[in-house]
């Protein structure tokens, strides 16, 4: 059976769209193999006109590998019958508000990759939208292969072989590497400090700023959010270099990124080893509800600082 495959954006190699995938097709071995090959090549797939159900969400996620259960019991689950599906909801009138260039917004998130603060990186995430604001609320994706090629040659040379230190940090006032102009925190998320307290003794994680895929492409894989500095170079000079890289990520992503405007019949997967993602934010008067699964896996390049191995106290936050 032939899949309805189209470019994510005309004229670009990054990303793909698949239209009308059915629940039955998610069980077909040949189709599963075709979708996985497309995912490996493209980095992001938007599935359009699919059945808007939790069953379809789980079945589609299973195409790419086993689900990773969220380790924090405090993160809302959708249903005990659907392990691994988490609920991410914004209700008007609650906190966690920011101002970006004078625009008041809810649920804005900077460019990042998931689990940067862990030694293992999950393979992918699969998103679906339940409650969609009339404007904004988009999820953005930027290809690390394209970002590497777009990065200034001097910066590419300067970060070759460097590793970045990350720590769980959901206090948005602490976000500084590459913060956009006019960024200000109006109110922190009410759960943020509890997450910080629970992760206080977790060692910092370390990941390469650039890594090379088995297919040969180099990937710029720096997460501005939760970055703390370069391993072995937490100096003013090292911090200035990291700031320059993160600032370019925000600048280049304006032209290279794809921001998805959600429909209830959409589902989307992105490669967490290759792709950075962000959330545009939306007017706080409107609600927004997303559900996400996490696909197990690890690229094998991350580790904890000073050889630490204890990960028992890592607490992850759902965004």
């Amino acid at each position: 059976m032939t899949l309805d495959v189209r470019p994510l954006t005309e004229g670009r190699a990054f990303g793909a769209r698949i239209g009308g995938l059915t629940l039955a097709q998610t069980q077909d071995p040949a189709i599963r193999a075709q979708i996985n090959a497309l995912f490996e090549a493209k980095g992001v797939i938007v599935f359009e006109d699919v059945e808007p159900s939790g069953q379809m969400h789980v079945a589609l996620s299973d195409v790419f590998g086993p689900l990773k259960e969220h380790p924090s019991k405090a993160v809302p689950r959708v249903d005990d019958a659907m392990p691994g599906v988490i609920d991410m909801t914004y209700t008007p009138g609650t906190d966690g508000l920011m101002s970006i260039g004078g625009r008041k917004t809810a649920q804005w998130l900077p460019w990042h990759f998931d689990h940067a603060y862990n030694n293992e990186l999950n393979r992918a995430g699969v998103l679906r939208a339940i409650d969609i604001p009339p404007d904004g609320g988009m999820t953005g994706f930027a290809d690390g292969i394209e970002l590497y090629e777009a990065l200034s040659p001097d910066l590419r040379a300067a970060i070759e072989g460097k590793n970045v230190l990350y720590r769980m940090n959901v206090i948005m006032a602490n976000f500084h590497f590459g913060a956009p102009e006019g960024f200000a925190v109006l109110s922190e998320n009410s759960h943020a400090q509890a997450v910080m307290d629970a992760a206080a003794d977790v060692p910092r994680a370390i990941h390469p700023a650039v890594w090379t895929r088995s297919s040969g492409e180099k990937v710029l894989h720096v997460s501005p959010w939760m970055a703390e500095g370069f391993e072995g170079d937490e100096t003013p000079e090292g911090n200035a270099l990291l700031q320059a890289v993160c600032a370019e990520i925000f600048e280049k992503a304006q032209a290279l990124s794809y921001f998805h405007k959600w429909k209830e019949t959409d589902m989307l997967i992105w490669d967490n080893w290759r792709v950075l993602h962000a959330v545009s934010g939306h007017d706080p008067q409107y609600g927004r509800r997303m559900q996400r699964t996490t696909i197990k896996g690890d690229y094998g390049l991350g580790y904890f600082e000073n050889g630490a191995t204890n990960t028992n106290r890592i607490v992850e936050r759902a965004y």
Side-chain angles (χ1 to χ4, degrees):
M1 186 176 295
T2 302
L3 291 174
D4 175 18
V5 179
R6 289 162 285 123
L8 184 64
T9 306
E10 289 294 337
R12 291 181 62 190
F14 173 58
R17 300 175 188 270
I18 294 179
L21 188 75
T22 67
L23 187 62
Q25 286 177 314
T26 66
Q27 308 304 307
D28 184 309
I31 289 178
R32 289 165 69 98
Q34 184 179 349
I35 293 173
N36 270 286
L38 187 67
F39 174 60
E40 180 67 21
K42 298 297 185 179
V44 167
I45 302 177
V46 176
F47 296 88
E48 299 177 319
D49 301 318
V50 299
E51 176 189 312
S53 70
Q55 182 184 17
M56 181 64 182
H57 191 186
V58 171
L60 178 60
S61 302
D62 181 68
V63 169
F64 301 96
L67 300 190
K68 177 181 179 181
E69 181 60 274
H70 207 288
S72 174
K73 301 298 183 184
V75 174
R77 267 64 170 179
V78 174
D79 192 315
D80 289 341
M82 294 190 296
V85 185
I86 59 174
D87 226 7
M88 301 170 287
T89 303
Y90 171 78
T91 303
T94 54
D95 52 18
L97 303 179
M98 271 146 285
S99 176
I100 309 295
R103 176 177 62 95
K104 187 177 181 180
T105 183
Q107 288 201 316
W108 178 87
L109 286 179
W111 292 105
H112 65 285
F113 57 84
D114 286 341
H115 300 187
Y117 48 83
N118 199 352
N119 63 330
E120 296 182 358
L121 294 188
N122 62 288
R123 180 68 182 95
V126 182
L127 278 174
R128 66 181 289 237
I130 310 297
D131 186 7
I132 304 168
D135 189 35
M138 296 183 291
T139 310
F141 302 90
D143 182 17
I145 296 173
E146 292 184 339
L147 286 173
Y148 179 80
E149 292 297 328
L151 193 67
S152 301
D154 289 349
L155 288 182
R156 283 206 304 263
I159 64 173
E160 187 68 35
K162 282 190 173 289
N163 299 317
V164 182
L165 292 152
Y166 298 98
R167 187 189 299 279
M168 164 68 81
N169 197 334
V170 293
I171 302 297
M172 295 306 296
N174 293 339
F175 168 61
H176 56 281
F177 283 117
E181 186 175 350
F183 169 75
V185 178
L186 304 180
S187 63
E188 296 284 0
N189 190 296
S190 60
H191 302 290
Q193 191 56 54
V195 173
M196 297 290 289
D197 292 344
D201 296 332
V202 176
R204 293 188 295 183
I206 300 170
H207 295 278
V210 176
W211 72 283
T212 304
R213 284 160 44 97
S214 59
S215 48
E217 304 100 332
K218 287 195 172 184
V219 178
L220 177 63
H221 207 231
V222 174
S223 176
W225 192 26
M226 302 193 189
E228 294 209 332
F230 285 117
E231 181 186 26
D233 192 13
E234 293 182 85
T235 63
E237 295 78 13
N239 290 343
L241 175 59
L242 183 56
Q243 168 62 23
V245 172
C246 291
E248 274 215 18
I249 287 173
F250 275 82
E251 175 193 346
K252 302 299 184 184
Q254 290 186 26
L256 295 176
S257 60
Y258 166 79
F259 273 84
H260 186 67
K261 186 171 179 60
W262 288 97
K263 297 183 296 183
E264 290 183 359
T265 53
D266 292 338
M267 294 184 192
L268 185 154
I269 185 169
W270 75 95
D271 183 342
N272 191 50
W273 302 345
R274 165 181 172 179
V275 176
L276 300 182
H277 62 286
V279 182
S280 70
H282 66 278
D283 190 318
Q285 70 176 303
Y286 300 108
R288 181 175 182 263
R289 184 184 179 195
M290 306 291 294
Q291 291 180 357
R292 192 193 81 191
T293 59
T294 302
I295 311 301
K296 284 183 180 179
D298 184 32
Y299 72 159
L301 300 176
Y303 53 94
F304 283 115
E305 192 174 22
N306 298 323
T309 58
N310 181 13
T311 64
N312 292 334
R313 294 199 59 204
I314 287 182
V315 179
E316 298 178 0
R317 175 85 177 128
Y319 290 92

